[in-house]
Short mmCIF file of all heavy atoms in Angstrom, two decimals:
data_model
loop_
_atom_site.label_atom_id
_atom_site.label_comp_id
_atom_site.label_asym_id
_atom_site.label_seq_id
_atom_site.Cartn_x
_atom_site.Cartn_y
_atom_site.Cartn_z
N ASP Y 63 101.32 173.59 41.06
CA ASP Y 63 101.72 175.00 41.09
C ASP Y 63 101.80 175.62 39.70
O ASP Y 63 101.87 176.81 39.56
CB ASP Y 63 103.02 175.22 41.89
CG ASP Y 63 104.09 174.21 41.55
OD1 ASP Y 63 103.90 173.47 40.55
OD2 ASP Y 63 105.10 174.15 42.26
N ASP Y 64 101.80 174.80 38.68
CA ASP Y 64 101.68 175.37 37.34
C ASP Y 64 100.35 174.90 36.73
O ASP Y 64 99.57 174.23 37.37
CB ASP Y 64 102.88 175.01 36.46
CG ASP Y 64 103.24 173.54 36.54
OD1 ASP Y 64 102.34 172.74 36.88
OD2 ASP Y 64 104.40 173.18 36.28
N GLU Y 65 100.13 175.25 35.52
CA GLU Y 65 98.84 174.96 34.90
C GLU Y 65 98.62 173.46 34.70
O GLU Y 65 97.52 172.96 34.82
CB GLU Y 65 98.74 175.68 33.55
CG GLU Y 65 98.57 177.18 33.66
CD GLU Y 65 97.31 177.56 34.45
OE1 GLU Y 65 96.21 177.17 34.02
OE2 GLU Y 65 97.44 178.24 35.49
N GLU Y 66 99.70 172.76 34.41
CA GLU Y 66 99.56 171.34 34.12
C GLU Y 66 99.96 170.49 35.32
O GLU Y 66 100.93 170.77 36.00
CB GLU Y 66 100.43 170.96 32.92
CG GLU Y 66 99.69 171.15 31.61
CD GLU Y 66 100.55 170.73 30.44
OE1 GLU Y 66 101.22 169.70 30.52
OE2 GLU Y 66 100.55 171.48 29.44
N LEU Y 67 99.18 169.48 35.51
CA LEU Y 67 99.46 168.53 36.58
C LEU Y 67 99.75 167.20 35.92
O LEU Y 67 98.92 166.68 35.17
CB LEU Y 67 98.23 168.43 37.50
CG LEU Y 67 98.28 167.41 38.60
CD1 LEU Y 67 99.29 167.81 39.66
CD2 LEU Y 67 96.91 167.25 39.23
N SER Y 68 100.94 166.69 36.13
CA SER Y 68 101.22 165.41 35.49
C SER Y 68 100.66 164.29 36.35
O SER Y 68 100.89 164.22 37.56
CB SER Y 68 102.72 165.23 35.23
OG SER Y 68 103.43 165.36 36.42
N VAL Y 69 99.90 163.46 35.71
CA VAL Y 69 99.08 162.48 36.40
C VAL Y 69 99.84 161.18 36.63
O VAL Y 69 99.66 160.52 37.64
CB VAL Y 69 97.80 162.25 35.57
CG1 VAL Y 69 97.07 161.00 36.02
CG2 VAL Y 69 96.89 163.47 35.69
N LEU Y 70 100.74 160.87 35.72
CA LEU Y 70 101.42 159.58 35.81
C LEU Y 70 102.17 159.37 37.13
O LEU Y 70 102.03 158.32 37.75
CB LEU Y 70 102.36 159.42 34.61
CG LEU Y 70 102.76 157.97 34.31
CD1 LEU Y 70 101.55 157.11 33.96
CD2 LEU Y 70 103.79 157.91 33.20
N PRO Y 71 102.94 160.38 37.60
CA PRO Y 71 103.62 160.18 38.90
C PRO Y 71 102.65 159.92 40.04
O PRO Y 71 102.97 159.20 40.99
CB PRO Y 71 104.36 161.51 39.12
CG PRO Y 71 104.48 162.12 37.79
CD PRO Y 71 103.30 161.66 36.99
N LEU Y 72 101.45 160.51 39.95
CA LEU Y 72 100.45 160.29 41.00
C LEU Y 72 100.03 158.82 41.03
O LEU Y 72 99.91 158.21 42.09
CB LEU Y 72 99.21 161.15 40.74
CG LEU Y 72 99.42 162.66 40.73
CD1 LEU Y 72 98.11 163.36 40.44
CD2 LEU Y 72 99.98 163.12 42.06
N PHE Y 73 99.83 158.26 39.84
CA PHE Y 73 99.46 156.85 39.76
C PHE Y 73 100.58 155.97 40.29
O PHE Y 73 100.35 155.00 40.99
CB PHE Y 73 99.13 156.48 38.31
CG PHE Y 73 97.72 156.78 37.93
CD1 PHE Y 73 97.38 158.02 37.43
CD2 PHE Y 73 96.72 155.83 38.10
CE1 PHE Y 73 96.06 158.31 37.09
CE2 PHE Y 73 95.41 156.11 37.77
CZ PHE Y 73 95.07 157.36 37.26
N GLU Y 74 101.81 156.35 39.95
CA GLU Y 74 102.96 155.57 40.42
C GLU Y 74 103.03 155.59 41.94
O GLU Y 74 103.24 154.56 42.57
CB GLU Y 74 104.25 156.15 39.83
CG GLU Y 74 104.49 155.70 38.40
CD GLU Y 74 105.69 156.37 37.75
OE1 GLU Y 74 106.34 157.19 38.42
OE2 GLU Y 74 105.97 156.07 36.60
N ASP Y 75 102.83 156.78 42.52
CA ASP Y 75 102.85 156.90 43.98
C ASP Y 75 101.80 156.01 44.61
O ASP Y 75 102.07 155.31 45.59
CB ASP Y 75 102.59 158.35 44.40
CG ASP Y 75 103.82 159.23 44.16
OD1 ASP Y 75 104.88 158.68 43.82
OD2 ASP Y 75 103.69 160.45 44.33
#
Side-chain angles (χ1 to χ4, degrees):
D63 45 11
D64 47 24
E65 288 301 301
E66 272 181 42
L67 175 69
S68 57
V69 165
L70 200 62
L72 299 179
F73 275 89
E74 280 174 0
D75 285 352

